[in-house]
């Protein structure tokens, strides 16, 4: 089983690289493809035809999202890259509509674990497919832009792209 790679070099967020296999998209990274392959120690050179289709879709959709003309992704995700509690958190995160947000605590309550806000944060912090699985739509209590491994500036950019107002390091709540 092979892996197919893709990369957008010039985006508002810098280079974004990704790869997919026959099961769908497995990874998105805010880095060059070379850096991603080194970080993940990938030596796979056999391309996946299913992955090629996924990467083609992602290239189109990611570009459209970053220019503000796409509201939701249809790209196939390989859910086998996550499991357990993290998978539950990421699946709930996928349900947050474009331009909307939830807090870590709200996600914990939805999952029936009201005291697990920090565990939700840890699960989102290691999200292997940011942007497509929109962990940037999850904020701290009071709208604080915390916990995003790619930095609060990137989180703020993505939320602004989706029409949210940011002041300092906090989301302006809409009534």
């Amino acid at each position: 089983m092979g892996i197919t790679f893709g990369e957008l070099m010039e985006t508002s967020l810098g280079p974004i690289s990704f790869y997919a296999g026959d099961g769908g998209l497995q990874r998105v990274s805010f880095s060059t493809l070379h850096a991603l392959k080194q970080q993940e120690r990938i030596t796979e050179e056999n391309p996946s035809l299913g992955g090629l289709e996924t990467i083609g879709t992602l290239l189109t959709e990611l570009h459209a999202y970053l220019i503000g003309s796409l509201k939701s992704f249809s790209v196939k995700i390989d859910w086998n890259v996550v499991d357990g509690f993290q998978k539950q958190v990421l699946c709930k995160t996928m349900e947050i509509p474009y331009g909307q947000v939830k807090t870590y605590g709200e996600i914990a309550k939805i999952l029936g674990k009201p005291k697990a806000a920090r565990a939700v944060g840890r699960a989102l912090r290691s999200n292997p497919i940011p942007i497509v699985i929109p962990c940037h739509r999850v904020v701290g209590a009071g709208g604080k832009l915390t916990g995003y491994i790619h930095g609060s500036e990137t989180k703020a950019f993505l939320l602004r792209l989706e029409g949210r107002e940011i002041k300092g390091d906090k989301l302006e709540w809409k009534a």
Side-chain angles (χ1 to χ4, degrees):
M1 179 159 340
I3 297 174
T4 301
F5 300 93
E7 180 177 37
L8 285 173
M9 286 299 296
E10 297 179 20
T11 76
S12 306
L13 297 168
I16 301 174
S17 57
F18 29 86
Y19 61 83
D22 289 338
L25 184 62
Q26 296 178 357
R27 184 83 163 93
V28 172
S29 177
F30 293 101
S31 68
T32 65
L33 185 54
H34 176 75
L36 175 62
K37 285 181 174 182
Q38 284 189 322
Q39 174 189 345
E40 306 251 331
R41 295 185 174 105
I42 296 174
T43 57
E44 177 69 52
E45 293 298 328
N46 297 317
S48 157
L49 291 177
L52 182 60
E53 183 178 332
T54 298
I55 293 302
T57 301
L58 182 62
L59 282 165
T60 302
E61 290 186 351
L62 192 54
H63 180 266
Y65 172 81
L66 291 170
I67 62 170
S69 65
L70 182 80
K71 307 289 187 231
S72 67
F73 290 90
S74 67
V75 66
K76 182 179 174 184
I77 294 172
D78 184 347
W79 287 103
N80 292 318
V81 298
V82 292
D83 59 13
F85 183 71
Q86 183 183 30
K87 186 174 182 177
Q88 292 173 17
V89 170
L90 294 178
C91 285
K92 287 300 172 196
T93 302
M94 285 290 294
E95 296 173 7
I96 303 171
Y98 182 94
Q100 301 297 311
V101 295
K102 294 219 179 283
T103 66
Y104 298 103
E106 287 173 322
I107 298 289
K109 286 178 189 169
I110 290 168
L111 293 172
K113 300 175 189 279
K115 296 183 185 219
R118 286 188 177 157
V120 167
R122 284 190 299 276
L124 292 173
R125 188 168 183 82
S126 58
N127 174 8
I129 309 173
I131 301 178
V132 177
I133 299 177
C135 54
H136 61 275
R137 295 181 189 154
V138 183
V139 297
K144 198 138 170 76
L145 303 184
T146 62
Y148 198 62
I149 195 166
H150 308 291
S152 59
E153 290 175 6
T154 300
K155 188 171 193 161
F157 173 87
L158 294 169
L159 290 170
R160 282 187 184 108
L161 180 68
E162 295 186 10
R164 300 307 301 241
E165 291 184 37
I166 310 294
K167 203 173 225 180
D169 67 344
K170 285 182 76 175
L171 178 76
E172 291 290 305
W173 290 103
K174 292 182 179 180

